[in-house]
Amino acid sequence: MEKKYRQQSINLVKVVLFGPESTGKTTLSGQLARHYNTVWTPEFAREYLQDKWNNERKTCEQEDILPIAEGQIKLENELAKKADKVLICDTDLLETKVYSEEYYGGFVDPVLDSAALSNTYDIYFLTYIDTPWEADDLRDKPEEREEMFKAFENTLKKYNRPYVLLKGDKETRLKKAITIIDNLLSKKENLYSFSDSLTDLDMHFMHQNIDSNNFSLQ
């Protein structure tokens, strides 16, 4: 697997929010990051494809998939260094693989396929489609929510990924996710904590920025 698609090895509890569009992944990512006083990795594809739409009035094309995958894992690796014991990921390369399969007739670039199956996480939270559909420039399958959900669930089962289904309102989902993560934290030792290397002044500025996740990725 090419290095630029490979997860860096950092001893964290790594959590993925996984599921179709408009199922509350981003909202829950932010909630969990605040609860654990850590960072969360946003979905690189959102900004990438929004820029493409704004500049070209084009949606995602097959040739966009690998740049999206590269950008996503780069973002994850950079933010893992800023995490405290838990890293919350709004998506991962396995999700990118699902979208590639669903939108391009089953096609997945071998590079993405290898990376998606090699990178590992402690738990996937599969978000159900019992949330309201919210339209935007990028979302395009409001009539296929059930089919897309099944594609995501079947992928987790096919590759034997550890996952928990999240249903219900925001509070119900958050409470269940916290219970699962707390259990994982109790079983892992010597977890990496970015805060351990910070001074009090560093911590002040970090907490000012944590909700917006405004970390430089140069």
Side-chain angles (χ1 to χ4, degrees):
M1 177 175 60
E2 293 185 38
K3 184 177 180 180
K4 62 184 178 180
Y5 301 99
R6 184 182 302 133
Q7 224 175 21
Q8 290 182 0
S9 179
I10 299 181
N11 188 27
L12 294 163
V13 170
K14 292 189 175 182
V15 176
V16 182
L17 280 296
F18 194 79
E21 56 194 9
S22 198
T23 54
K25 297 189 297 293
T26 300
T27 297
L28 184 55
S29 293
Q31 290 175 317
L32 289 170
R34 285 189 292 274
H35 178 82
Y36 289 102
N37 201 29
T38 190
V39 296
W40 63 279
T41 305
E43 186 179 9
F44 179 81
R46 295 292 301 178
E47 182 175 354
Y48 177 99
L49 294 175
Q50 187 66 58
D51 286 345
K52 180 170 182 167
W53 174 256
N54 292 344
N55 295 327
E56 306 175 43
R57 282 298 185 266
K58 291 182 179 179
T59 56
C60 188
E61 299 172 288
Q62 190 169 306
E63 57 264 31
D64 293 315
I65 296 297
L66 282 185
I68 287 171
E70 181 181 351
Q72 187 64 48
I73 202 65
K74 179 181 178 182
L75 196 59
E76 179 184 317
N77 285 335
E78 290 293 333
L79 285 166
K81 300 171 188 175
K82 309 285 188 180
D84 280 298
K85 298 184 179 180
V86 181
L87 178 65
I88 310 298
C89 301
D90 193 356
T91 188
D92 76 332
L93 299 194
L94 189 61
E95 179 150 330
T96 307
K97 170 179 161 67
V98 173
Y99 275 114
S100 181
E101 290 170 339
E102 293 301 309
Y103 278 77
Y104 306 114
F107 172 80
V108 181
D109 189 287
V111 172
L112 171 59
D113 196 55
S114 175
L117 300 182
S118 297
N119 294 337
T120 60
Y121 301 86
D122 293 275
I123 193 70
Y124 284 79
F125 289 127
L126 176 62
T127 50
Y128 193 56
I129 53 174
D130 55 349
T131 53
W133 173 267
E134 295 183 10
D136 64 18
D137 291 336
L138 305 178
R139 293 170 176 163
D140 63 352
K141 290 185 179 291
E143 307 303 325
E144 300 177 34
R145 300 189 80 188
E146 184 66 37
E147 292 85 348
M148 290 299 292
F149 175 80
K150 287 296 184 185
F152 280 96
E153 185 174 39
N154 290 340
T155 295
L156 292 173
K157 291 178 178 178
K158 179 178 180 179
Y159 298 110
N160 198 30
R161 294 299 193 255
Y163 79 95
V164 173
L165 176 63
L166 296 183
K167 291 184 174 183
D169 60 24
K170 295 176 184 178
E171 291 73 21
T172 300
R173 292 178 177 212
L174 178 61
K175 184 177 179 180
K176 186 171 184 178
I178 288 171
T179 298
I180 298 297
I181 295 172
D182 283 351
N183 184 53
L184 291 169
L185 284 168
S186 72
K187 296 178 179 178
K188 296 190 76 170
E189 298 180 347
N190 302 316
L191 289 165
Y192 170 83
S193 180
F194 176 64
S195 296
D196 288 347
S197 64
L198 296 179
T199 66
D200 290 341
L201 184 60
D202 291 329
M203 287 295 291
H204 171 72
F205 287 109
M206 178 182 174
H207 289 307
Q208 280 188 323
N209 292 325
I210 194 168
D211 285 345
S212 59
N213 210 19
N214 287 328
F215 294 102
S216 174
L217 300 179
Q218 299 300 320

